[in-house]
């Protein structure tokens, strides 16, 4: 008959096991490897022993906003909620994709894309300006404050130079204008149309927010 081990001793061993080098059932690694990675440290319940092992960073929350430049609800969400959240959260916590197109319609006329927007030609121009701005700036932290400035101001389509002067003076307004007026802008808007049309399920209204 096997000797009986007092229950109190078993509890004490369980409490002290990380400090004594005793592996738990889920730990298949020798003690000298417990601090080789965070996953192994967790499996062996040795996190407290691995003070120099950094905890892996969580993946950012990915948010996509499908919107229109002159849609009142879109402007309110972008200015009052999304931009504020982006300012308050650490940069690695939130990854944002902006797709200005919304309920627009496109058609190909003699090889060139043309667009009709819910709030008229002014909105199509606003969508194009913001799309070309993103194309020229590349970096989200560069163009998002400019888009915030445009959407929160008196005119989305007339304040580009003023907003650039405040938030991104390194960007060339002439290059953005050339994009808007040329084939590049139309091709970029066509891509926005494809991204919007590929939504599954299809969007029913704007702003349409995916997380």
């Amino acid at each position: 008959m096997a000797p009986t081990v007092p229950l109190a001793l078993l509890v004490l061993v369980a409490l002290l096991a990380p400090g004594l080098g005793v592996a738990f059932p889920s730990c298949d690694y020798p003690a000298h490897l417990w601090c080789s990675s965070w996953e192994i440290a967790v499996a062996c319940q040795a996190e407290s022993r691995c003070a120099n092992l950094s905890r892996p960073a969580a993946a950012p929350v990915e948010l996509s906003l499908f919107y229109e430049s002159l849609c009142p609800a879109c402007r309110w969400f972008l200015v009052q909620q999304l931009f504020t959240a982006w300012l308050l959260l650490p940069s690695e916590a939130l990854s944002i994709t902006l797709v200005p197109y919304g309920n627009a319609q496109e058609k190909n006329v003699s090889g060139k894309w043309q667009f009709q927007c819910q709030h008229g030609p002014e909105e199509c121009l606003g969508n194009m300006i913001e799309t070309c701005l993103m194309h020229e700036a590349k970096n989200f932290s560069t163009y998002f404050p400019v888009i915030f400035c445009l959407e929160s101001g008196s005119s989305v389509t007339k304040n580009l130079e003023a907003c650039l002067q405040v938030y991104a003076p390194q960007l060339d307004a002439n290059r953005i204008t050339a994009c808007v007026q040329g084939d590049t802008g139309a091709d970029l808007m066509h891509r926005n149309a494809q991204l919007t049309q590929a939504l599954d399920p299809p969007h029913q209204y704007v702003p349409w927010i995916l997380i």
Side-chain angles (χ1 to χ4, degrees):
M1 182 174 179
T4 302
V5 180
L7 178 60
L9 181 58
L10 290 175
V11 172
L12 182 62
V13 169
L15 291 173
L16 297 179
L20 296 176
V22 177
F24 284 80
S26 61
C27 177
D28 297 325
Y29 306 91
H32 70 277
L33 291 179
W34 284 5
C35 292
S36 60
S37 76
W38 182 259
E39 291 77 12
I40 294 176
V42 171
C44 297
Q45 299 187 24
E47 302 98 308
S48 61
R49 298 183 55 187
C50 305
N52 295 328
L53 189 62
S54 60
R55 183 186 295 268
V61 173
E62 297 185 5
L63 185 149
S64 298
L65 173 62
F66 294 79
Y67 71 106
E68 302 167 347
S69 63
L70 296 187
C71 161
C74 299
R75 298 178 75 175
W76 181 87
F77 174 76
L78 190 151
V79 171
Q80 298 292 334
Q81 295 190 321
L82 186 58
F83 187 75
T84 301
W86 178 72
L87 286 177
L88 294 176
L89 291 173
S91 59
E92 65 273 11
L94 186 61
S95 175
I96 301 173
T97 300
L98 301 177
V99 184
Y101 185 80
N103 296 324
Q105 301 291 326
E106 68 171 357
K107 60 180 178 179
N108 192 306
V109 179
S110 302
K112 293 184 179 295
W113 292 105
Q114 295 182 2
F115 306 92
Q116 291 183 331
C117 296
Q118 183 176 5
H119 299 93
E122 189 82 357
E123 181 168 78
C124 283
L125 178 58
N127 292 345
M128 187 84 76
I129 289 172
E130 294 183 5
T131 298
C132 285
L133 166 64
M134 290 187 273
H135 175 71
E136 288 295 325
K138 303 292 192 294
N139 188 287
F140 184 84
S141 61
T142 300
Y143 64 71
F144 193 33
V146 181
I147 291 178
F148 161 80
C149 178
L150 293 173
E151 294 290 343
S152 61
S154 58
S155 173
V156 173
T157 60
K158 297 177 182 177
N159 290 338
L160 177 62
E161 291 195 16
C163 289
L164 288 177
Q165 289 177 6
V166 175
Y167 291 101
Q170 73 275 23
L171 295 180
D172 186 348
N174 291 328
R175 288 180 59 88
I176 297 172
T177 301
C179 170
V180 170
Q181 297 175 349
D183 294 337
T184 300
D187 290 341
L188 292 170
M189 284 303 305
H190 172 58
R191 179 177 176 274
N192 286 354
Q194 290 179 310
L195 291 173
T196 304
Q197 292 161 5
L199 286 169
D200 186 16
H203 81 284
Q204 301 173 22
Y205 46 81
V206 287
W208 192 255
I209 303 157
L210 296 184
I211 297 177

